Amino acid sequence: MQKISRRSFLKATAAAGAASASLKFSFSDFAEAAEDAPVEKRHTLCNGCSNLCGLFVHVKNGRVWKAEGNPIHLKNRGKICARGHGMVADIYNPDRVTQPMKRVGEDQFEPISWEQAFAEIGEQLTDIVDRYTGDSVVWMEHGVRGKDYADILLDYIGSPNYITHYATCFTAKTNVWANMMGTNLYGDHENSDYMLFVGRNFAGGILPNGMQKVLKAKEKGAKIVVVDPRCCELAKVADEWIPIRPGTDLAFYLAIAHVIIEEDLKDRKFVREYVENFDEFWNANRNCTPEWAEGITDIPADKIREIARDLAKHAPRSFLEPGYHGLNAHYKNSVQQAQMNIVINALLGNMYQRGGLLPSASIELGQFEPEQQPPEKEMGPRIDGAGEDGKYATVEAARGIPQRIPQLAEEGEVRAIFVYHYNPLRTGPNPEYQKKMKEADLVVSIPIDWNETSYHTADYILPECYFMERAEPPVTTAGHVTHDYPQLAMRTEVVEPMEDTKPLIDIMKGLAKEIGAEEYFDFTVEDQARAMIEPLDISLEQLKEAGCLEFRNQSFDPEFPLSGGEPALDTPSGKVEFSVGIYKANGFSGVPRWIPPKVIPREEDEFRLIHGKQPWHSHHITSNNPYLMEITEMYDGTRMWINKERADQLGIETGDTVVVESEIATKEIEVKATELLHPDCVWVPSAYGGFSEKAETAYGVGINYNDFVSEEIEPIAGSVMGQEVIVKVRKGEK
Ligand SMILES: Nc1nc2c(c(=O)[nH]1)N[C@H]1C(S)=C(S)[C@@H](COP(=O)(O)OP(=O)(O)OC[C@H]3O[C@@H](n4cnc5c(=O)[nH]c(N)nc54)[C@H](O)[C@@H]3O)O[C@H]1N2
Ligand SMILES: Nc1nc2c(c(=O)[nH]1)N[C@H]1C(S)=C(S)[C@@H](COP(=O)(O)OP(=O)(O)OC[C@H]3O[C@@H](n4cnc5c(=O)[nH]c(N)nc54)[C@H](O)[C@@H]3O)O[C@H]1N2
Ligand code: SF4
Ligand SMILES: [Mo]
């Protein structure tokens, strides 16, 4: 493993110095020129993660000078996390792609003009559509910021294949909530008396305002219990950290439900009136006692009883936090685990209750329709099979199954791939497998930087300008319906696009012109924004001026679909469906039942490989930021955690380099031996393992869990099962 050292940072800084000349930026020149320049404060939304926090950016002499949080914005209320600051500085990162690139060899690119790029891509795309039909074209993106434009392109060429990254993030959760609830509910942390977090780390997988609310509740005396194989950052502020054997949360949940039902602690009225198929659930799971679960989870039966009773005692002002990534794309049993999350909360009767689970406050926006729409074309089935009968019928088509695409490219089914704001080579399983994407005839990547997908698979790289260099249609930001006013925020241009980069809308216009679809992109971001705010009593100028507006004309006394009269959820029964019809119809169990994880470590040197976020990094994108990587260096942040006792048995100590080996990869990494991790697993921070030579700061630093994970698909929700992997660990040479 190449440990990051002061020297490599100096090297990176020197490289930055050299390259910055080509970005027409050097700090000393700028400082001199800007001495007397006035400072202007402009608005935008951070792009460091999906929170899209509100930012004020200070601009001096045309250059971003500093940033602070917008105090109104619900997601951050004036705060910015370390990643946000890093992202702001990254505008001047020399590793940005600053003009279109064409691949001319395995690791070789040549800069070309936008005109040439559009003409060549347009010609190849037209040829592919003529020869193989539009169905062979795929658009993949993080989601969903490019969707409006992608839809026009895909409609024009006749392809249903819009695919997002969600299979790698939380598809088990969204699939289950859509089917069992027909809506989403969120923890009302601030007003809760008892919160159980399982595989959710607010202080590492950061939600700035969420964490503020948890701390406020704690000050008011709320109890916080964290169940996690690792003592994560949130566990450190919690009342209790309960280590669990990874992959067994389903058994823990079944036993919690068992206690609540068996001891008659459930909210009887709620279950009677608003739950469908309770009996089917209970008949299938009567034997899931805490004693049964203890053997599977490693959590003492008495502790499980205590948690169940505490949850019930504080209900409805208690909840099991609905969770995010930590459990919902990781295991063969993630779907059943996500189902149990709803079952437990429903048994507590905390839905639509203050201090329990609440829907978000939102506003109705208008829908933008371009004046000219592509003529309707007959489309084949989705190429990834998502939502298709006989294939992956239960997977949400709106999200897709990205990990199928490399195989389909290799088989000649997928001929052209557009990748926008997405890096599956690093964030999807098995990079060597992902590289098969390049087998498609045409791969076009639209990133900001030299990410792995662009570097290793793209025929053309079309650089988007940085988020502070572009405007985008507004987004709603929603808090809780009983006590937060909904908000609308808009990303606006803070500085001019640097060098030869363009916003996505202009890239689409350029491409569309070459394939005869120009008329369908005859609109601007402002046209989109105006149509969206049409139902609201505001002007675009007002929104742009404020950056973020709060709508105070909302009533805090909304009608809920599960209170008073008829149950009115958007589900077949109108109730919370404990048994999911579409799962049953496709040969799966409708109710959750115990399924063990797919793989289990058995030998002395075997561990489950698990992972998690670090507070100062976002996925992988920030690992090419020299400032944030300084923090990594300060804290030895790339180290893999291993349980101290197991490390002792293997003769391994903190600071040792170990060899980590799965069926598909062998890597070396330094370790931290600690009591703060369950003995069955090793844990790696999820930001590292860069392998794009042109992203110098990230290159070769640390390891990536995806290197070890195969590309298999969980059949109900289509997730990647990112922790169904056993690794062997042994002491290395160094
Ligand atoms: N700093 C930072 N913040 C982020 C992001 C980021 O990249 N960096 N990304 C944003 C995004 S897109 C997301 S999805 C969220 C993710 O937010 P979270 O889901 O909270 O983050 P994770 O770190 O993936 O997982 C949470 C915890 O699950 C634990 N865990 C792993 N396996 C198991 C298991 O089998 N059982 C249990 N009980 N726990 C387990 C991990 O140890 C970890 O502490 O964060 C968002 N915020
Ligand atoms: N190794 C690893 N894998 C992961 C995770 C992880 O933490 N580590 N997290 C998992 C989770 S929870 C999630 S949500 C997914 C996220 O997976 P991705 O969607 O792949 O990750 P993003 O963070 O959105 O970054 C993807 C790429 O977007 C590009 N990008 C960034 N900003 C812009 C922009 O403004 N415009 C354009 N056009 N491109 C931009 C960057 O080049 C970056 O490489 O990954 C999952 N997989
Ligand atoms: S949480 Fe941090 S990285 Fe995410 S949007 Fe907010 S400031 Fe940016
Ligand atoms: Mo995520």
Side-chain angles (χ1 to χ4, degrees), residues 186-195 197 200 202 207 209-218 220 222 224 317 319-323 354-358 480 483:
Y186 307 89
D188 180 11
H189 305 93
E190 193 174 349
N191 296 304
S192 181
D193 296 334
Y194 184 100
M195 289 173 265
F197 288 83
R200 177 71 175 105
F202 266 34
L207 183 65
N209 193 30
M211 195 58 211
Q212 289 168 24
K213 288 182 171 179
V214 168
L215 293 176
K216 267 192 207 159
K218 188 178 157 76
K220 289 192 277 182
I224 301 165
R317 294 170 83 92
F319 59 83
L320 165 58
E321 157 61 43
R354 251 179 179 247
L357 300 185
L358 287 172
H480 289 116
H483 47 284

Side-chain angles (χ1 to χ4, degrees), residues 131-399:
R131 277 208 279 167
Y132 308 103
T133 76
D135 299 351
S136 65
V137 181
V138 165
W139 179 283
M140 303 170 82
E141 68 170 54
H142 177 87
V144 291
R145 302 291 284 167
K147 186 169 190 306
D148 286 350
Y149 308 143
D151 278 349
I152 301 174
L153 179 80
L154 294 176
D155 283 352
Y156 177 71
I157 59 183
S159 167
N161 300 317
Y162 172 83
I163 296 178
T164 68
H165 80 288
Y166 290 101
T168 64
C169 178
F170 64 2
T171 42
K173 175 181 165 182
T174 56
N175 194 302
V176 158
W177 279 78
N179 282 307
M180 290 176 69
M181 295 287 300
T183 187
N184 285 305
L185 299 179
Y186 307 89
D188 180 11
H189 305 93
E190 193 174 349
N191 296 304
S192 181
D193 296 334
Y194 184 100
M195 289 173 265
L196 175 61
F197 288 83
V198 183
R200 177 71 175 105
N201 176 16
F202 266 34
I206 296 179
L207 183 65
N209 193 30
M211 195 58 211
Q212 289 168 24
K213 288 182 171 179
V214 168
L215 293 176
K216 267 192 207 159
K218 188 178 157 76
E219 268 169 33
K220 289 192 277 182
K223 185 163 181 189
I224 301 165
V225 177
V226 171
V227 176
D228 192 312
R230 178 181 68 112
C231 184
C232 63
E233 289 81 359
L234 182 63
K236 290 179 185 144
V237 299
D239 296 273
E240 269 185 70
W241 166 53
I242 298 166
I244 186 169
R245 176 172 288 133
T248 66
D249 302 83
L250 173 59
F252 170 65
Y253 286 171
L254 285 165
I256 295 269
H258 190 276
V259 176
I260 295 175
I261 297 167
E262 190 74 8
E263 297 187 6
D264 204 13
L265 303 173
K266 67 179 186 298
D267 182 329
R268 271 189 254 159
K269 183 170 181 294
F270 187 89
V271 173
R272 193 174 56 242
E273 290 181 3
Y274 302 123
V275 168
E276 184 75 354
N277 291 120
F278 171 83
D279 290 340
E280 186 183 337
F281 166 76
W282 184 227
N283 288 336
N285 294 298
R286 273 177 196 278
N287 298 329
C288 299
T289 60
E291 283 69 24
W292 164 82
E294 175 174 330
I296 297 173
T297 61
D298 233 7
I299 303 179
D302 283 348
K303 184 50 81 179
I304 298 176
R305 277 206 177 84
E306 181 191 310
I307 294 173
R309 289 171 189 160
D310 271 352
L311 274 168
K313 187 170 94 192
H314 292 99
R317 294 170 83 92
S318 63
F319 59 83
L320 165 58
E321 157 61 43
Y324 206 165
H325 175 67
L327 288 177
N328 293 311
H330 289 357
Y331 298 113
K332 187 178 156 199
N333 60 22
S334 281
V335 166
Q336 294 75 25
Q337 169 277 129
Q339 284 184 279
M340 280 309 298
N341 190 301
I342 295 179
V343 167
I344 289 172
N345 284 308
L347 293 175
L348 295 171
N350 65 11
M351 294 175 164
Y352 298 95
Q353 300 287 335
R354 251 179 179 247
L357 300 185
L358 287 172
S360 59
S362 63
I363 30 174
E364 289 284 319
L365 290 181
Q367 178 105 27
F368 172 72
E369 300 275 354
E371 249 169 56
Q372 307 255 29
Q373 315 249 356
E376 276 199 18
K377 281 206 172 146
E378 214 171 285
M379 292 188 202
R382 282 183 62 96
I383 207 151
D384 59 0
E388 301 287 352
D389 283 342
K391 291 189 176 162
Y392 293 91
T394 53
V395 174
E396 292 169 284
R399 307 198 183 268

Side-chain angles (χ1 to χ4, degrees), residues 142 165 423 427 446 449 464 470 613 619-620 686 704-705:
H142 177 87
H165 80 288
N423 188 14
T427 58
I446 308 173
D449 54 2
E464 185 167 42
R470 61 183 196 246
K613 311 291 186 202
H619 309 149
H620 63 88
S686 62
N704 177 356
Y705 67 90

